[in-house]
Amino acid sequence: MSRSEARVATDRPGRYGKQLAAHLGRRVQAEWSEEAGRGSVAFSYGTAALVAEPGALLLSVEGDADRLPDLEDVVGRHLVRFGTRDELVVEWRRDTGEPGLVHRHQEPDAEQSHTEQSQAGQSHGE
């Protein structure tokens, strides 16, 4: 199993962790504990852990190396969309030392282009 992690700076980590778990939980198994400030998401091809700490939401994904980009994309893309107003940035770092995907809010034209590329190129199996 391969692993990737991201530390997302925000003054509302619990809110975003809860929102991400609730949203992804519509399609896959997900949970969030308000008391612990932790959550998890179980995809068919890997897992994600969400941990709220002061000033940041810590994300980690784990799965087969060939599916790691898919996990980074699903978790990061949704979180950035929820945090558009706060301009959240998710920068993944893989346990191999190589950089992972980077997610940040894009202007509508750039976002449309990215969406078209994603639809033409691959499906992430959310």
Side-chain angles (χ1 to χ4, degrees):
M1 289 286 183
S2 295
R3 183 178 175 91
S4 188
E5 298 179 339
R7 182 182 190 282
V8 182
T10 176
D11 58 354
R12 298 184 289 189
R15 176 186 178 272
Y16 285 122
K18 179 181 179 178
Q19 187 176 12
L20 186 58
H23 178 76
L24 295 175
R26 294 179 185 161
R27 294 193 174 187
V28 297
Q29 181 180 344
E31 61 184 22
W32 178 260
S33 168
E34 288 281 343
E35 298 78 35
R38 294 178 176 269
S40 63
V41 182
F43 299 95
S44 62
Y45 52 92
T47 60
L50 320 169
V51 179
E53 59 175 41
L57 178 62
L58 306 180
L59 307 171
S60 63
V61 294
E62 192 170 348
D64 290 337
D66 64 327
R67 296 305 303 262
L68 211 52
D70 296 333
L71 291 163
E72 291 172 346
D73 183 58
V74 169
V75 174
R77 181 171 34 92
H78 284 94
L79 181 59
V80 166
R81 188 171 56 207
F82 299 143
T84 297
R85 189 174 60 193
D86 291 338
E87 297 183 6
L88 298 183
V89 176
V90 180
E91 187 171 349
W92 294 97
R93 299 191 191 284
R94 298 181 183 161
D95 61 0
T96 59
E98 69 184 52
L101 300 178
V102 175
H103 296 89
R104 60 175 39 95
H105 176 68
Q106 298 177 359
E107 293 302 317
D109 289 345
E111 194 170 307
Q112 176 66 26
S113 173
H114 175 74
T115 300
E116 290 169 358
Q117 289 171 0
S118 293
Q119 290 174 347
Q122 59 188 350
S123 170
H124 294 290
E126 294 175 63

